Amino acid sequence: MEFLVRQSRLFCPFLNKTSPATLRALSSSSPSSNGVSNLQVAARECPVMGAAMAIQSSRSYATSTKPLQFEQSSPSMANETSIESVHVKAGVFDTSKGICKHGLAVMKAAQAAAGEAAAEKEVEPIKATTSPSASKRHHNAFNYENFYQAELTKKHKDKSYRYFNNINRLAKEFPKAHTTSEEERVTVWCSNDYLGMSKNKDVLKSMRNTLDKYGAGAGGTRNIAGHNRHAVELEAALADLHSKEAALVFSSCYVANDATLSTLGSKLPDCVILSDQLNHASMIQGIRHSGARKIVFKHNDLVDLENKLKSLPLEVPKIIAFESVYSMCGSIAPIEKICDLADKYGAITFLDEVHAVGMYGPRGAGVAEHLDFEAHASGRPENTIMSRVDIITGTLGKAYGCVGGYIAGSAKFVDMIRSLAPGFIFTTSLPPSIMAGANTAIEYQKVTLKDRAAQQLNTRYVKAKLAELDIPVVPNPSHIVPVLVGDAETAKIASDMLLERFNIYVQAINYPTVPVGEERLRVTPTPGHDANLANKLVDALETVWTELGIKRVKDWEAVGGLAGVGVKGANPVKPIWTDAQLCLTRTTGILADKVVVEKETITAFPIEAAA
């Protein structure tokens, strides 16, 4: 709750100038005869909070545009025709969402000082106040604002409402960031900038040079004015990365997945799309938009997938849509065996490598490349697992540190999507500087193994340290460290504690990103998270787990296990990166000084391996 008070001071002058001790004294001192504490009396002196308390307003808030000036509230303020006039008098001009931050801050501070639960109690919704335009509507018209509020109330009730933290990652201090205050530093442990490429000097130089020469924007869609050398070069680099005939760049991989699956599914006659149970929302949305028949198979379950394929006529077009690395649990798909089933039953494969590109394989092409590591390291992509995958999608916004998405496949397939997909045709092209930076990042990682190796070793270290403390990590062979909490509200409190007390930022993950009851903290080590930072994280998590009484592995085991944690008799999960691929020597256990990628010798930094 101290975190809540501190954040509230950013918006409320009263809290900013009042010490925590005074707040506690006000809340714990003898209440007045009418049952109102002295802190609530002080809150009534706020022209906004006083009016809000008088009319029992909702907990949603508006944004102040200038500091609030205190003045004595009066009973007449509660009888104003709308709360808007009260806010305007107080210098708060955006009142579209009800009570302002000043009022909310005081209310929450009172609850915090009194030791109450985290300000999630339901407050009677504010009576609809009408703007001049709204007042002209018929009284029987649908109340849109009440509908919006009702939907938000549902999110608050089930504890799945999403709070955004102001985290400003610093290029020169990676993986540090500042919060609202530029002087405050936190360590970011949940970024998808897996390799720190967003601050890579070669990437930044490429972007600056392109920005200076070609300007900020692309100027239009690819069909009108947004097709340029940067798009051509980037798509060529992506096609080469995946050893495919062609590639096509989109504004994001969400758009790439949606546009591609919706176009394919709608154009292929009587198409059936078989989708993994844990597929990303972008794939689910694309399948829905296609109008094609959808069959969901159990996560990574080859038997279930084959049974469903068997039920379909051989001549019916079929797409098996799945991911290589599932980002919330860290599991990895059996790509080769899925390709076997696709060949057997006349299907094509659609593989999302979003959380794998840059991270796996000798050139960073993803898990499909990684499965034939030696062949690709020697420049022999033919007859490999990656060559068997029909369609590969990926992102430029995670391991490559930029933004954008893409597809790669046969030339005819890519040309068809280019010609038919509305998500590609009717959107402005990525800026030249973004495409140039992404191209530089891809080419850099094609010949640089040390970043991937360092990231994997740091991941091993964190997982090993958490295991020593019986802190539950969902078992997986990838770079993801999902720390199981099992409750949405507790996960949010744990995240807040890490940020407030330890200056560690790990965002809580809840429904619908993960199933209800499987809420977690998703930790993603990078090459910049050395042993010193990792030890601080582990110590902080130990404190949080102890103080909040969060279940450990033994506790999950006692109830039969959940999400792979505490499952008796389960086989240990080995990391997909082997010691040999990481160039770890048996004698020293450290990364070798030299590694060979594509017949070029690359200098790698010696990094201590986890036990």
Side-chain angles (χ1 to χ4, degrees):
M1 300 311 293
E2 290 179 5
F3 169 73
L4 191 58
V5 175
R6 195 174 87 172
Q7 291 295 100
S8 299
R9 290 198 185 103
L10 299 174
F11 310 110
C12 178
F14 172 74
L15 290 178
N16 188 45
K17 68 180 182 179
T18 307
S19 68
T22 301
L23 288 173
R24 293 190 187 95
L26 287 170
S27 63
S28 60
S29 57
S30 301
S32 57
S33 58
N34 59 1
V36 178
S37 72
N38 288 336
L39 183 60
Q40 289 171 301
V41 171
R44 284 179 172 175
E45 295 179 1
C46 170
V48 178
M49 188 59 191
M53 293 174 70
I55 63 173
Q56 296 181 321
S57 70
S58 71
R59 289 171 52 244
S60 56
Y61 55 86
T63 302
S64 175
T65 55
K66 69 177 184 179
L68 179 65
Q69 300 299 319
F70 284 105
E71 59 182 77
Q72 182 66 38
S73 59
S74 64
S76 63
M77 296 178 68
N79 299 321
E80 295 278 1
T81 55
S82 77
I83 194 173
E84 182 168 331
S85 61
V86 180
H87 281 86
V88 170
K89 289 180 180 178
V92 182
F93 298 107
D94 179 4
T95 60
S96 58
K97 300 183 183 70
I99 186 173
C100 72
K101 292 182 179 179
H102 308 87
L104 182 63
V106 175
M107 180 186 292
K108 287 186 175 181
Q111 293 172 326
E116 296 176 6
E120 294 293 343
K121 293 182 178 181
E122 287 301 315
V123 182
E124 291 184 26
I126 187 170
K127 295 181 180 179
T129 58
T130 57
S131 63
S133 59
S135 63
K136 297 178 181 179
R137 297 186 186 130
H138 196 280
H139 290 297
N140 293 329
F142 186 83
N143 192 317
Y144 297 96
E145 293 297 321
N146 279 3
F147 171 79
Y148 306 149
Q149 183 58 53
E151 291 300 306
L152 290 172
T153 299
K154 292 178 186 177
K155 300 294 289 181
H156 282 290
K157 280 185 175 180
D158 65 14
K159 309 302 180 185
S160 67
Y161 182 81
R162 299 192 175 207
Y163 297 87
F164 292 164
N165 287 304
N166 190 345
I167 303 295
N168 306 273
R169 298 187 311 118
L170 296 162
K172 294 182 179 180
E173 299 179 42
F174 182 86
K176 299 286 187 177
H178 73 72
T179 56
T180 305
S181 168
E182 293 196 17
E183 286 69 42
E184 185 174 8
R185 293 292 184 270
V186 299
T187 303
V188 179
W189 274 96
C190 57
S191 169
N192 286 336
D193 185 9
Y194 294 132
L195 302 178
M197 289 301 291
S198 67
K199 53 83 178 177
N200 179 275
K201 63 180 182 179
D202 293 339
V203 172
L204 295 179
K205 180 180 179 181
S206 174
M207 295 181 72
R208 288 191 194 101
N209 291 343
T210 307
L211 184 64
D212 289 341
K213 186 172 183 178
Y214 295 99
T221 66
R222 291 283 290 275
N223 185 56
I224 297 177
H227 183 70
N228 49 51
R229 60 176 292 184
H230 308 96
V232 173
E233 292 170 358
L234 177 56
E235 288 169 350
L238 290 165
D240 172 75
L241 176 68
H242 294 289
S243 299
K244 299 298 182 186
E245 293 177 347
L248 192 66
V249 173
F250 291 77
S251 56
S252 73
C253 199
Y254 188 106
V255 175
N257 285 346
D258 185 1
T260 302
L261 284 170
S262 63
T263 301
L264 269 182
S266 63
K267 295 299 180 181
L268 287 170
D270 302 317
C271 178
V272 178
I273 303 178
L274 297 101
S275 176
D276 187 282
Q277 181 182 11
L278 296 187
N279 273 345
H280 188 263
S282 59
M283 300 168 75
I284 296 171
Q285 192 78 333
I287 296 169
R288 182 180 294 120
H289 287 162
S290 74
R293 180 185 174 191
K294 178 181 73 172
I295 298 178
V296 177
F297 62 92
K298 296 176 183 177
H299 178 54
N300 282 351
D301 191 324
L302 294 167
V303 174
D304 188 46
L305 174 59
E306 182 166 21
N307 287 336
K308 288 175 166 61
L309 285 166
K310 281 181 182 178
S311 68
L312 302 171
L314 187 62
E315 66 274 11
V316 169
K318 295 172 281 289
I319 303 171
I320 303 175
F322 62 109
E323 301 179 39
S324 58
V325 177
Y326 290 83
S327 64
M328 291 300 141
C329 61
S331 60
I332 290 179
I335 301 174
E336 182 177 17
K337 293 181 179 179
I338 290 177
C339 287
D340 291 341
L341 291 177
D343 292 344
K344 183 177 180 179
Y345 294 99
I348 61 173
T349 47
F350 180 102
L351 175 61
D352 179 313
E353 289 259 33
V354 162
H355 290 273
V357 290
M359 301 295 292
Y360 298 88
R363 302 169 74 238
V367 174
E369 180 190 57
H370 196 95
L371 296 173
D372 290 299
F373 196 96
E374 289 75 19
H376 287 285
S378 302
R380 295 180 286 105
E382 302 82 8
N383 302 316
T384 59
I385 294 171
M386 188 167 71
S387 70
R388 297 178 63 191
V389 178
D390 297 288
I391 302 165
I392 293 176
T393 71
T395 184
L396 308 172
K398 293 182 171 59
Y400 292 128
C402 296
V403 68
Y406 64 89
I407 60 173
S410 72
K412 290 181 180 178
F413 156 72
V414 170
D415 197 21
M416 189 196 81
I417 299 300
R418 183 190 70 85
S419 302
L420 299 176
F424 173 80
I425 297 172
F426 298 105
T427 191
T428 299
S429 178
L430 287 174
S433 59
I434 294 294
M435 291 192 281
N439 192 11
T440 300
I442 292 166
E443 296 298 341
Y444 179 92
Q445 287 300 331
K446 282 180 182 178
V447 296
T448 305
L449 190 64
K450 63 183 178 66
D451 292 341
R452 290 190 283 288
Q455 195 283 329
Q456 288 291 326
L457 293 174
N458 290 346
T459 297
R460 286 190 184 190
Y461 185 86
V462 171
K463 286 182 176 180
K465 288 296 183 181
L466 292 175
E468 290 176 4
L469 298 174
D470 209 33
I471 293 177
V473 173
V474 177
N476 69 78
S478 73
H479 62 284
I480 309 295
V481 187
V483 186
L484 182 65
V485 177
D487 176 78
E489 186 172 14
T490 305
K492 175 65 169 61
I493 295 172
S495 175
D496 287 345
M497 283 181 65
L498 288 170
L499 186 60
E500 168 62 17
R501 291 175 55 181
F502 301 99
N503 294 322
I504 290 173
Y505 175 52
V506 182
Q507 180 63 24
I509 307 296
N510 55 31
Y511 179 83
T513 307
V514 295
V516 174
E518 295 185 17
E519 294 80 6
R520 62 200 63 180
L521 302 178
R522 180 179 178 271
V523 175
T524 52
T526 73
H529 289 93
D530 58 20
N532 179 50
L533 291 176
N535 290 335
K536 290 179 180 178
L537 169 70
V538 172
D539 290 344
L541 286 172
E542 169 65 15
T543 300
V544 169
W545 247 248
T546 299
E547 292 189 11
L548 296 181
I550 303 175
K551 289 182 180 179
R552 298 183 186 253
V553 175
K554 63 180 180 181
D555 301 313
W556 288 114
E557 185 174 334
V559 295
L562 180 70
V565 173
V567 178
K568 293 182 179 180
N571 295 323
V573 178
K574 294 182 179 180
I576 187 173
W577 277 88
T578 66
D579 289 355
Q581 291 166 350
L582 292 172
C583 303
L584 297 174
T585 67
R586 293 183 180 179
T587 55
T588 64
I590 64 172
L591 187 67
D593 292 336
K594 303 285 184 181
V595 296
V596 178
V597 180
E598 290 186 322
K599 301 178 182 179
E600 293 186 23
T601 302
I602 308 298
T603 301
F605 298 130
I607 301 170
E608 293 186 2

